[in-house]
Amino acid sequence: MSKITAQKKGLLERLKEGPVVGDGSMCMTLEKRGYCRAGPWTPEAVIAYPDAVKQLLREYLRAGADVLQTPCFYCSDGMLKKGTASGETVAYTTDAINEAACKIAHEVAAEGNALVCGGLSPVLSYLRERDSAKTRAEFDAQLDVFIKYKVDFVLAEFFAHVEELEICVDVMKKAKMPIACSMRIGPMGDSNGVSVEECAVRMAKTGADLIGINCLYDFDTCLKTLKRMRDALDKEGLKTPLMCQPLGWRCPEVEDKLIGYLDLPETPLALDPRTATRFEVHEFTRAAYNLGTRYIGGCCGMEPHHIRAIAQELAPERKRDPPVQDMCPPTGFMQFSGLSNIKEKASMDFWTNTKPGSGRPFNPASTQTEGGRFM
Amino acid sequence: MSKITAQKKGLLERLKEGPVVGDGSMCMTLEKRGYCRAGPWTPEAVIAYPDAVKQLLREYLRAGADVLQTPCFYCSDGMLKKGTASGETVAYTTDAINEAACKIAHEVAAEGNALVCGGLSPVLSYLRERDSAKTRAEFDAQLDVFIKYKVDFVLAEFFAHVEELEICVDVMKKAKMPIACSMRIGPMGDSNGVSVEECAVRMAKTGADLIGINCLYDFDTCLKTLKRMRDALDKEGLKTPLMCQPLGWRCPEVEDKLIGYLDLPETPLALDPRTATRFEVHEFTRAAYNLGTRYIGGCCGMEPHHIRAIAQELAPERKRDPPVQDMCPPTGFMQFSGLSNIKEKASMDFWTNTKPGSGRPFNPASTQTEGGRFM
Amino acid sequence: MSKITAQKKGLLERLKEGPVVGDGSMCMTLEKRGYCRAGPWTPEAVIAYPDAVKQLLREYLRAGADVLQTPCFYCSDGMLKKGTASGETVAYTTDAINEAACKIAHEVAAEGNALVCGGLSPVLSYLRERDSAKTRAEFDAQLDVFIKYKVDFVLAEFFAHVEELEICVDVMKKAKMPIACSMRIGPMGDSNGVSVEECAVRMAKTGADLIGINCLYDFDTCLKTLKRMRDALDKEGLKTPLMCQPLGWRCPEVEDKLIGYLDLPETPLALDPRTATRFEVHEFTRAAYNLGTRYIGGCCGMEPHHIRAIAQELAPERKRDPPVQDMCPPTGFMQFSGLSNIKEKASMDFWTNTKPGSGRPFNPASTQTEGGRFM
Amino acid sequence: MSKITAQKKGLLERLKEGPVVGDGSMCMTLEKRGYCRAGPWTPEAVIAYPDAVKQLLREYLRAGADVLQTPCFYCSDGMLKKGTASGETVAYTTDAINEAACKIAHEVAAEGNALVCGGLSPVLSYLRERDSAKTRAEFDAQLDVFIKYKVDFVLAEFFAHVEELEICVDVMKKAKMPIACSMRIGPMGDSNGVSVEECAVRMAKTGADLIGINCLYDFDTCLKTLKRMRDALDKEGLKTPLMCQPLGWRCPEVEDKLIGYLDLPETPLALDPRTATRFEVHEFTRAAYNLGTRYIGGCCGMEPHHIRAIAQELAPERKRDPPVQDMCPPTGFMQFSGLSNIKEKASMDFWTNTKPGSGRPFNPASTQTEGGRFM
């Protein structure tokens, strides 16, 4: 493994060459496949069902991802216990899970020259106590495993408060690796009331190499937020490139909710009708790229065929097709269908101009929700 | 493997004990994962990417399937060449694919005591020439590999003409195995103009052990067709149990199209918003069971979390939970969520009463289509 | 008045010259304007608020109607009492209402050379008792007022049972006037289980001059029914022209309900979002005409701008524009708008290709209903 | 007439006693009835078809309106010529139309103790030239007719620029009557970029007795704007009561368009499916009242049954029912229906909990529009 790592280009080199493609949904997709518990979302499958996890990572690699994140999201001692309150226990330690996640990510990444990214996420010490020292300690513990297992870069993601993110980035500096950071904010700004614009500027001023947003919101909401971030950065003369890993579900109606799609009645078990089509991903990818976004991947709900659409949309800029191209070019092999009405669909034009229906005349387009409370 | 096969109960025994759960979508799901070509749908992944295929079969097994179909649908010489016209070639022979499919199905089935089902499908000799002798010969060739690889039962499926199905069942009798058969018909009857009622009676009179419908139509359309089949059988005093493997997409508007969902503009690359929720599967399963359906699985679009919903809905009748129950009971582990608005969702009542939105206020519920022609 | 009546062409002459345009919604529209009670729908406004009724009739005349129906629907002694059970009383006698209705219709018709049509509707003696003699007597009473007030032709409409309609037509013959008849049936046939086809043939065989359908169903449902009626008549060599006066609300989902839109939750007070656009009326009118329909008007929900669309769509066949053309040609005077984006809308092409939205992302397209019971 | 005028309470007295109900849609409703030209919207019907106009005013009076606006919207010399460019001519002078409008409003108002309101609207001298003196002169001309015909109060409405409104209010002061003023703004503020908050404060500081918004936007958009106006006024300690006369069509998707619903493809001829239900009006009325709105009427699309819903919702606060109550209480007389499924609908609860469908499964909820340009 070390030999391959030595040869492969790092995150900063890749960003110089063209847009970087991230990977996609982990826990939510494993849940549909039968390997994750909806609610706690603890990633013990890396130990209990490693082949299922590897297969999913392999699909992202094949779809064109440059990066595989270690599949251990939210796996800090605090979060692991919280998610399993009331007597439920996860059979494995935090360390055991994190280590298994690193090994799996490295193993699959090595099959395709991908980077391994170690992800840090918000901690209870900040959320519940606003205790700076404890917060640093929790991030430190998350970081150590990534240093030990030599990930290629680190990412602070899903932050609701820019203040907590600043602490996290500061801690991450000791790893001497490229640093990315990403907040889960929409047009309303962060959960302390800091505006999108101020979040962008403060994130850039941490010195991170990539800054952006992930999760919680619809493509269109993310584009609005990215635009405002870009404008705020430009105003300050800050050049940090943007990243975005949006939801794979359509949910424009929660743009004004601080917890985004977590406020939808359908979350998490009945989101299927909201699943993005690959052509909606093409459209988002192009628009995000045009706004200066240089790292595009997916968060919850973004599955292999969605990640593939990012890599295929950006193929001209990246000067290469994803590995999956042999079997799954953007419009498939419709030209070889025996059905004449299918044959006619062998063009992006057809798909770009088709608005998919929901198949549910008795259901609404949007759902009304009650104001949810986030912890 | 043989030892396990010897011990496991056969199809007929299982049907006596309670409803049998089939597996789910193969080619369409592999396409989303990156292992099948949209259009030709040829199953060469069984040779080229066997681990990806095995993983999917394993997910169905884990979801509660009693049966794994050999993943080689439509893999006859004629169809294999047709799907790859214009110079495209599949790198493997029909035999090589079919054999690999049988081995994979046996390997995974053995991990969980499941039955292996060999599936026969319509042939070009009937479709294009109505040539009875050639038709028999094509079915014979399909059947031989299943006899050689000792599948547990055979299934004639996706038939558009009851006349062709009758020939197929007659050929299958030489295998001396239980026989199931399934047509891809809706309320308009078969493609020769034979009514649903007559199809049902003629299927039963072939002597097949299970008869039914699969693919092309929405849950609600299938329920209407099953009801008419059951009534027609009852009228004739025929007791053959019904089977149903419906689509996993909602498409009520193609009920009056002979080619069903193949007529939708969204087929096959933009069907995501039509994906059934697991709770829609629960509802369908219960209604189908109440109509006397005793074998329920899925066709295109029915993924692991859908098959799991069938097994979970029928758990009282089957007196057991599916293996996936450890991580994915019907409503997950919502009670352990840190979000109070998620916690409240830990009941089937909540999910049964929630109508999921499409997240697309600018799209219609249904799509208007031009009358497609099937070959 | 008599002088004008003497000069004007009768129904049969007009039918020979081209398609005849009927009038539109009466009670339901008066209710929105404040002059009719939702529920009983008794037409006492002809006495209490005659100017409001005359204004509505004038609008239909101006819209191009050749015919004004006497605004006294369902006004038989039986129905008048039934609708006002539980102590409610209508302050006027059946005779007084019917006479006022005739006078109003004659007065307004005389302003524009229109025909006056006297309408007979189902009676309680048939519905509750299937008593043939009493049924005849009730029709006789309805008819006498129309004979006395010299309407131009009579119409038996809104019949759920072809058997009752046959009795009614037989009674109407004594008036020595042209006879039209119309059932409120959809694809399921009449409420005694008589098929659409048999209804059509039996209606034609009564000797009526016009036969058809009215009320209860969507445009598209009516077109399906008209097509089946036309085919059945053709098969028997019957030449009777068809008439159709459909609902002005879209409700495709009640096609399989015997009481049609009366089964919708929104009936009668919240149907606004289902209101047809004038361009949907254009499309329906053309399709109905192409199926051989020669009398096209409107029932509940068809307001002046809808009736106008019928007359404008059929202007080439009728060789004249409706009176309203001075102010309201089909696409208005968009070319004189000060807004450039409105100016561009001065063509039928624009409007034909625009699918109007509901403006309600939180509402469904269709509504699920419980099987209603009709009396 | 003068005698009655002498006795009736004025606007300010009525506002002290409780919420005042305005009238509804004029030109757009007359167009549907056949008496107005879509595009120019010139109100010559007051001369050409006075009975049709009177009937509509009477319906608003009967629905509970306290006020009838003179039906001569936008009837200044400039606008009258502009709307009829390209050779089209209105056969009557501006003065003749305005005088006829005043007479009609007085005649009908006298039948029911209503106030007559003279409405001033934006002028071309401001819009095209920003010429203050000419602007004043145009307003002066509009005002003179209202002084001559002794309206009860004056209203400056449909203003896009608060600066123009300030000029108008200043001119209106010479009439020595109560003054109301209303802008056609949404959340984006006025067309010069002045925020909602600043508009509210500047309107109040003109000394007008009532300030508010009308036209262009959906109920929900208006509520958001009213809330921000109220908050801004409260902050400045300003007590001026609010007024609102919203659209009668649902169009949440144009909230971020300066020209509101004028940007919709469906405007003006295919808006029917967006028509509000009376129950949506009830809900809006209650919410607007709760925000401190004390004058609630309707603009384009608000028809008699909508205005009636305002008066009925506010009946407790107004301590009286509208005249229409004899025939049209809020839920009609459903209890007297012969249909049991209709009978069950005789309660506000039923209607409040019913979400009406659009009846159009092939249409979207919202429509996408291109940025329109206003003149």
Coordinates of all heavy atoms in Angstrom, one line a residue, chain A residues 31-32 34 38 49 62 88 264 266-267 272-273 275 278 280 305 308 326 333 336 339 345 356-357 359-360 362-363 365 374, chain B residues 31-32 34 38 49 62 88 264 266-267 272-273 275 278 280 305 308 326 333 336 339 345 355-357 359-360 363 365 374:
Chain A
E31 N -27.8 1.4 4.8 CA -29.1 1.0 5.5 C -30.0 0.4 4.5 O -30.6 -0.7 4.7 CB -29.7 2.3 6.1 CG -30.9 2.0 7.1 CD -32.2 1.7 6.4 OE1 -32.4 2.2 5.2 OE2 -33.1 1.1 7.0
K32 N -30.1 0.9 3.3 CA -31.0 0.3 2.3 C -30.5 -1.1 1.9 O -31.3 -1.9 1.6 CB -31.1 1.2 1.0 CG -32.0 2.4 1.2 CD -31.9 3.5 0.1 CE -32.2 2.9 -1.3 NZ -31.8 3.9 -2.3
G34 N -29.0 -3.0 3.9 CA -29.2 -4.0 5.0 C -28.1 -4.0 6.0 O -28.0 -4.9 6.8
A38 N -30.9 2.5 11.0 CA -31.5 3.9 10.8 C -31.8 4.5 12.2 O -32.4 3.8 13.0 CB -32.8 3.8 10.0
Y49 N -19.6 -6.4 8.7 CA -19.9 -6.8 7.3 C -18.9 -6.0 6.3 O -19.4 -5.3 5.5 CB -21.4 -6.4 6.9 CG -22.4 -7.1 7.8 CD1 -23.0 -6.4 8.8 CD2 -22.8 -8.4 7.5 CE1 -23.9 -7.1 9.6 CE2 -23.7 -9.0 8.3 CZ -24.3 -8.4 9.3 OH -25.3 -9.0 10.1
R62 N -15.2 3.1 -8.9 CA -15.5 2.8 -10.3 C -16.4 4.0 -10.9 O -16.3 4.2 -12.1 CB -16.3 1.5 -10.3 CG -16.7 1.0 -11.6 CD -17.2 -0.5 -11.6 NE -18.0 -0.8 -12.7 CZ -17.5 -1.0 -14.0 NH1 -16.2 -0.8 -14.2 NH2 -18.3 -1.2 -15.0
E88 N -29.1 0.1 24.4 CA -28.5 -0.5 23.2 C -26.9 -0.3 23.3 O -26.4 0.7 23.7 CB -28.9 0.4 22.0 CG -30.1 -0.1 21.3 CD -29.9 -1.5 20.7 OE1 -29.1 -1.6 19.8 OE2 -30.7 -2.4 21.1
L264 N -38.0 16.9 7.3 CA -39.1 16.3 6.5 C -39.7 15.1 7.2 O -39.0 14.3 7.8 CB -38.4 15.8 5.2 CG -38.0 16.8 4.1 CD1 -37.4 16.0 3.0 CD2 -39.2 17.6 3.6
E266 N -40.6 12.5 5.7 CA -40.1 11.3 5.0 C -38.7 10.8 5.5 O -38.3 9.7 5.1 CB -40.0 11.5 3.5 CG -41.4 11.9 2.8 CD -41.6 13.4 2.7 OE1 -41.1 14.1 3.6 OE2 -42.2 13.8 1.8
T267 N -38.0 11.7 6.2 CA -36.7 11.3 6.6 C -36.7 10.4 7.8 O -37.4 10.7 8.8 CB -35.9 12.6 7.0 OG1 -35.8 13.5 5.9 CG2 -34.5 12.3 7.5
D272 N -37.4 7.8 -0.9 CA -37.2 7.3 -2.3 C -37.7 8.2 -3.4 O -37.0 8.5 -4.3 CB -37.8 5.9 -2.4 CG -37.4 5.0 -1.3 OD1 -37.9 5.1 -0.2 OD2 -36.5 4.1 -1.5
P273 N -39.0 8.7 -3.3 CA -39.5 9.6 -4.4 C -38.7 10.8 -4.6 O -38.8 11.5 -5.6 CB -40.9 9.9 -4.0 CG -41.3 8.9 -2.9 CD -40.0 8.6 -2.2
T275 N -35.4 11.0 -4.6 CA -34.1 10.6 -5.1 C -33.8 11.4 -6.4 O -34.6 11.4 -7.3 CB -34.0 9.1 -5.4 OG1 -34.4 8.4 -4.2 CG2 -32.6 8.7 -5.8
R278 N -29.9 11.0 -12.3 CA -28.5 11.3 -12.7 C -28.5 12.6 -13.5 O -27.5 13.3 -13.5 CB -27.9 10.1 -13.4 CG -28.7 9.7 -14.6 CD -28.2 8.3 -15.2 NE -28.9 7.2 -14.4 CZ -28.6 6.0 -14.7 NH1 -27.7 5.6 -15.6 NH2 -29.2 5.0 -14.0
E280 N -30.4 15.3 -13.1 CA -30.4 16.4 -12.2 C -29.0 16.6 -11.6 O -28.6 17.7 -11.3 CB -31.4 16.1 -11.1 CG -32.9 16.2 -11.6 CD -33.9 15.7 -10.6 OE1 -33.6 14.9 -9.7 OE2 -35.1 16.2 -10.7
H305 N -24.6 5.8 -9.0 CA -25.0 6.4 -10.4 C -25.0 7.9 -10.3 O -25.0 8.6 -11.4 CB -26.3 5.8 -10.9 CG -27.5 6.1 -10.1 ND1 -27.7 5.8 -8.8 CD2 -28.7 6.7 -10.5 CE1 -28.9 6.2 -8.4 NE2 -29.5 6.7 -9.4
R308 N -21.2 9.0 -10.5 CA -20.8 8.7 -11.9 C -21.2 10.0 -12.7 O -20.4 10.4 -13.6 CB -21.5 7.5 -12.3 CG -21.4 7.1 -13.7 CD -22.6 6.2 -14.2 NE -22.9 5.1 -13.4 CZ -23.9 4.3 -13.5 NH1 -24.7 4.4 -14.6 NH2 -24.1 3.3 -12.7
D326 N -17.0 1.9 -19.3 CA -17.1 0.7 -20.2 C -18.6 0.1 -20.2 O -19.0 -0.3 -21.3 CB -16.2 -0.5 -19.7 CG -16.5 -0.9 -18.3 OD1 -17.0 -0.1 -17.5 OD2 -16.2 -2.1 -18.0
F333 N -26.5 2.4 -23.4 CA -26.4 1.9 -24.7 C -27.8 1.7 -25.4 O -28.1 0.7 -26.0 CB -25.7 0.5 -24.7 CG -24.2 0.6 -24.3 CD1 -23.8 0.6 -23.0 CD2 -23.2 0.8 -25.3 CE1 -22.5 0.7 -22.6 CE2 -21.9 0.9 -24.9 CZ -21.5 0.9 -23.5
F336 N -28.8 0.2 -28.8 CA -28.8 -1.2 -29.0 C -30.1 -1.9 -28.5 O -30.2 -3.1 -28.5 CB -27.6 -1.9 -28.4 CG -26.3 -1.4 -29.0 CD1 -25.3 -0.9 -28.1 CD2 -26.1 -1.3 -30.3 CE1 -24.1 -0.4 -28.6 CE2 -24.9 -0.8 -30.8 CZ -23.9 -0.3 -30.0
L339 N -36.3 -2.0 -28.6 CA -37.5 -1.2 -28.7 C -37.2 0.1 -29.3 O -36.4 0.9 -28.9 CB -38.0 -0.9 -27.2 CG -38.7 -2.0 -26.5 CD1 -38.8 -1.7 -25.0 CD2 -40.1 -2.1 -27.1
K345 N -33.8 7.3 -27.3 CA -33.4 8.0 -26.1 C -31.9 8.0 -25.9 O -31.4 8.3 -24.8 CB -34.0 7.3 -24.9 CG -35.5 7.3 -24.8 CD -36.1 6.7 -23.6 CE -37.6 6.6 -23.6 NZ -38.1 5.9 -22.4
P356 N -39.0 14.1 -15.1 CA -39.6 12.9 -14.5 C -40.8 13.1 -13.6 O -40.8 14.0 -12.8 CB -38.4 12.2 -13.8 CG -37.5 13.3 -13.4 CD -37.7 14.4 -14.5
G357 N -41.8 12.3 -13.8 CA -43.0 12.3 -12.9 C -42.7 11.5 -11.6 O -41.8 10.7 -11.6
G359 N -45.1 9.5 -10.4 CA -45.9 8.3 -10.4 C -46.9 8.2 -9.3 O -47.4 7.2 -9.0
R360 N -47.1 9.4 -8.6 CA -48.0 9.4 -7.5 C -49.0 10.5 -7.5 O -48.8 11.6 -6.9 CB -47.2 9.5 -6.2 CG -46.3 8.3 -5.9 CD -45.4 8.6 -4.8 NE -44.6 7.4 -4.4 CZ -43.5 7.0 -5.0 NH1 -43.0 7.8 -6.0 NH2 -42.8 6.0 -4.6
F362 N -51.7 11.0 -6.2 CA -52.4 11.3 -4.9 C -51.5 11.9 -3.9 O -51.9 12.2 -2.7 CB -53.0 10.0 -4.4 CG -54.1 9.5 -5.3 CD1 -53.8 8.4 -6.1 CD2 -55.3 10.1 -5.4 CE1 -54.8 7.9 -7.0 CE2 -56.3 9.7 -6.3 CZ -56.0 8.5 -7.1
N363 N -50.2 12.1 -4.2 CA -49.2 12.7 -3.3 C -48.9 14.1 -3.7 O -49.0 14.5 -4.9 CB -47.9 11.9 -3.3 CG -48.1 10.5 -2.7 OD1 -49.2 10.0 -2.7 ND2 -47.0 10.0 -2.1
A365 N -46.2 17.5 -4.2 CA -44.8 17.7 -4.5 C -44.0 17.9 -3.3 O -42.8 17.4 -3.2 CB -44.7 18.9 -5.5
F374 N -33.3 20.5 16.9 CA -32.0 19.7 16.7 C -31.4 19.6 18.1 O -30.7 20.5 18.5 CB -31.1 20.4 15.7 CG -30.0 19.5 15.3 CD1 -30.3 18.2 14.8 CD2 -28.7 19.9 15.3 CE1 -29.2 17.4 14.4 CE2 -27.6 19.1 14.9 CZ -27.9 17.8 14.4
Chain B
E31 N -27.0 -1.9 -13.0 CA -26.7 -0.7 -13.8 C -26.4 0.5 -12.9 O -25.5 1.2 -13.2 CB -27.9 -0.5 -14.8 CG -27.5 0.5 -15.9 CD -27.6 2.0 -15.6 OE1 -28.4 2.3 -14.6 OE2 -26.9 2.8 -16.2
K32 N -27.3 0.7 -11.9 CA -27.1 1.8 -11.0 C -25.7 1.7 -10.3 O -25.1 2.7 -10.0 CB -28.2 2.0 -10.1 CG -29.5 2.7 -10.7 CD -30.7 2.5 -9.8 CE -30.5 3.2 -8.4 NZ -31.6 2.8 -7.5
G34 N -23.2 0.2 -11.5 CA -22.1 0.3 -12.5 C -21.7 -0.9 -13.2 O -20.6 -1.0 -13.8
A38 N -27.2 -0.3 -19.8 CA -28.6 0.1 -20.0 C -28.9 -0.1 -21.5 O -28.2 0.5 -22.3 CB -28.9 1.5 -19.6
Y49 N -17.6 -9.1 -13.3 CA -17.6 -8.5 -12.0 C -18.4 -9.4 -11.0 O -19.4 -9.0 -10.4 CB -18.3 -7.1 -12.0 CG -17.5 -6.2 -12.9 CD1 -18.0 -5.9 -14.2 CD2 -16.4 -5.5 -12.5 CE1 -17.4 -5.0 -15.1 CE2 -15.7 -4.6 -13.4 CZ -16.2 -4.4 -14.6 OH -15.5 -3.5 -15.5
R62 N -30.1 -11.8 2.7 CA -30.2 -11.1 4.0 C -31.6 -10.4 4.2 O -32.1 -10.3 5.3 CB -29.1 -10.1 4.0 CG -28.9 -9.3 5.3 CD -27.6 -8.7 5.4 NE -27.6 -7.6 6.4 CZ -27.6 -7.9 7.7 NH1 -27.6 -9.1 8.2 NH2 -27.7 -6.8 8.6
E88 N -21.6 -4.3 -31.7 CA -21.3 -4.6 -30.3 C -21.2 -6.1 -30.1 O -22.0 -6.8 -30.5 CB -22.5 -4.1 -29.4 CG -22.3 -2.7 -28.9 CD -21.1 -2.5 -28.0 OE1 -21.0 -3.2 -27.0 OE2 -20.2 -1.7 -28.4
L264 N -42.9 4.7 -20.7 CA -42.6 6.0 -20.0 C -41.4 6.7 -20.5 O -40.3 6.0 -20.8 CB -42.3 5.7 -18.5 CG -43.5 5.3 -17.6 CD1 -42.9 5.0 -16.2 CD2 -44.5 6.4 -17.5
E266 N -39.3 8.3 -18.9 CA -38.2 8.2 -17.9 C -37.5 6.8 -17.9 O -36.5 6.7 -17.2 CB -38.8 8.3 -16.5 CG -39.4 9.7 -16.2 CD -40.9 9.6 -16.4 OE1 -41.4 8.9 -17.3 OE2 -41.6 10.4 -15.7
T267 N -38.1 5.8 -18.6 CA -37.4 4.5 -18.6 C -36.3 4.5 -19.6 O -36.4 5.0 -20.7 CB -38.5 3.5 -19.1 OG1 -39.6 3.5 -18.2 CG2 -37.9 2.1 -19.2
D272 N -35.8 7.3 -10.9 CA -35.6 7.4 -9.5 C -36.8 8.0 -8.7 O -37.2 7.5 -7.7 CB -34.4 8.3 -9.2 CG -33.2 7.9 -10.0 OD1 -33.2 8.1 -11.2 OD2 -32.3 7.2 -9.4
P273 N -37.5 9.1 -9.2 CA -38.6 9.7 -8.4 C -39.8 8.7 -8.3 O -40.6 8.9 -7.4 CB -39.0 10.9 -9.2 CG -37.9 11.2 -10.1 CD -37.2 9.9 -10.4
T275 N -39.4 5.5 -7.6 CA -39.1 4.4 -6.7 C -40.1 4.3 -5.6 O -40.4 5.2 -4.9 CB -37.7 4.7 -6.1 OG1 -36.8 4.9 -7.2 CG2 -37.2 3.5 -5.3
R278 N -40.5 1.7 1.0 CA -40.7 0.4 1.6 C -42.1 0.2 2.2 O -42.6 -0.9 2.3 CB -39.6 0.1 2.7 CG -39.6 1.2 3.8 CD -38.3 1.1 4.7 NE -37.2 1.7 4.1 CZ -36.0 1.7 4.6 NH1 -35.7 1.1 5.7 NH2 -35.0 2.4 3.9
E280 N -44.8 1.5 0.9 CA -45.7 1.2 -0.2 C -45.6 -0.3 -0.5 O -46.6 -1.0 -0.9 CB -45.4 2.0 -1.5 CG -45.7 3.5 -1.3 CD -45.2 4.4 -2.4 OE1 -44.1 4.1 -3.0 OE2 -45.8 5.5 -2.7
H305 N -34.0 -3.1 0.1 CA -34.9 -2.6 1.2 C -36.4 -2.8 0.8 O -37.3 -2.8 1.7 CB -34.7 -1.1 1.5 CG -35.0 -0.2 0.4 ND1 -34.4 -0.2 -0.8 CD2 -35.7 1.0 0.4 CE1 -34.9 0.8 -1.6 NE2 -35.7 1.5 -0.8
R308 N -36.9 -6.7 1.6 CA -37.0 -6.8 3.1 C -38.4 -6.4 3.6 O -38.9 -7.1 4.5 CB -36.0 -5.8 3.6 CG -35.9 -5.6 5.1 CD -35.3 -4.2 5.5 NE -34.1 -3.9 4.8 CZ -33.5 -2.7 4.9 NH1 -34.0 -1.7 5.7 NH2 -32.4 -2.4 4.2
D326 N -31.5 -7.8 12.4 CA -30.6 -7.3 13.4 C -30.3 -5.8 13.3 O -30.1 -5.1 14.2 CB -29.3 -8.1 13.4 CG -28.5 -8.0 12.1 OD1 -29.2 -7.8 11.1 OD2 -27.3 -8.2 12.1
F333 N -34.2 2.1 14.0 CA -34.0 2.3 15.4 C -34.2 3.8 15.7 O -33.4 4.4 16.4 CB -32.6 1.8 15.8 CG -32.4 0.3 15.8 CD1 -32.1 -0.3 14.6 CD2 -32.7 -0.5 16.9 CE1 -31.9 -1.7 14.5 CE2 -32.5 -1.8 16.8 CZ -32.1 -2.4 15.6
F336 N -33.7 5.7 19.0 CA -32.3 6.0 19.6 C -31.8 7.3 18.9 O -30.6 7.6 19.2 CB -31.4 4.9 19.4 CG -31.8 3.6 20.1 CD1 -32.0 2.4 19.4 CD2 -32.1 3.6 21.5 CE1 -32.4 1.3 20.1 CE2 -32.6 2.5 22.1 CZ -32.7 1.3 21.4
L339 N -32.5 13.3 17.7 CA -33.4 14.4 17.3 C -34.8 14.0 17.7 O -35.3 12.9 17.3 CB -33.4 14.5 15.7 CG -32.3 15.3 15.1 CD1 -32.3 15.0 13.6 CD2 -32.5 16.8 15.4
K345 N -40.8 9.0 15.2 CA -41.2 8.2 14.0 C -41.0 6.7 14.2 O -41.0 6.0 13.2 CB -40.3 8.7 12.8 CG -40.5 10.2 12.5 CD -39.6 10.6 11.3 CE -39.8 12.1 11.0 NZ -38.9 12.5 9.9
K355 N -47.6 10.5 3.4 CA -47.5 10.4 2.0 C -46.3 11.2 1.5 O -46.2 12.4 1.6 CB -48.7 11.1 1.3 CG -49.9 10.3 1.2 CD -51.0 10.9 0.3 CE -52.2 10.0 0.2 NZ -53.3 10.6 -0.6
P356 N -45.3 10.4 1.0 CA -44.1 11.1 0.6 C -44.3 12.0 -0.6 O -45.0 11.7 -1.5 CB -43.1 10.0 0.3 CG -44.0 8.8 -0.1 CD -45.3 9.0 0.7
G357 N -43.6 13.2 -0.5 CA -43.6 14.2 -1.6 C -42.6 13.8 -2.6 O -41.6 13.1 -2.3
G359 N -40.7 16.2 -4.0 CA -39.6 17.2 -3.9 C -39.4 18.0 -5.2 O -38.4 18.7 -5.4
R360 N -40.4 17.9 -6.1 CA -40.3 18.6 -7.4 C -41.5 19.3 -7.8 O -42.3 18.8 -8.5 CB -40.0 17.5 -8.4 CG -38.6 16.8 -8.3 CD -38.5 15.6 -9.2 NE -37.2 15.0 -9.1 CZ -36.8 14.1 -8.2 NH1 -37.7 13.7 -7.3 NH2 -35.6 13.5 -8.3
N363 N -42.4 19.5 -11.5 CA -42.7 18.3 -12.3 C -44.1 17.8 -12.1 O -44.7 18.1 -11.1 CB -41.7 17.2 -11.8 CG -40.3 17.5 -12.2 OD1 -39.9 18.6 -12.3 ND2 -39.5 16.5 -12.4
A365 N -47.1 14.7 -11.7 CA -47.2 13.4 -11.1 C -47.0 12.3 -12.1 O -46.4 11.3 -11.9 CB -48.5 13.3 -10.3
F374 N -43.5 -2.4 -29.3 CA -42.6 -3.4 -28.7 C -42.1 -4.3 -29.8 O -42.8 -5.2 -30.4 CB -43.4 -4.2 -27.7 CG -42.5 -5.1 -26.9 CD1 -41.4 -4.5 -26.2 CD2 -42.6 -6.4 -26.7 CE1 -40.5 -5.2 -25.4 CE2 -41.8 -7.2 -25.9 CZ -40.7 -6.6 -25.3

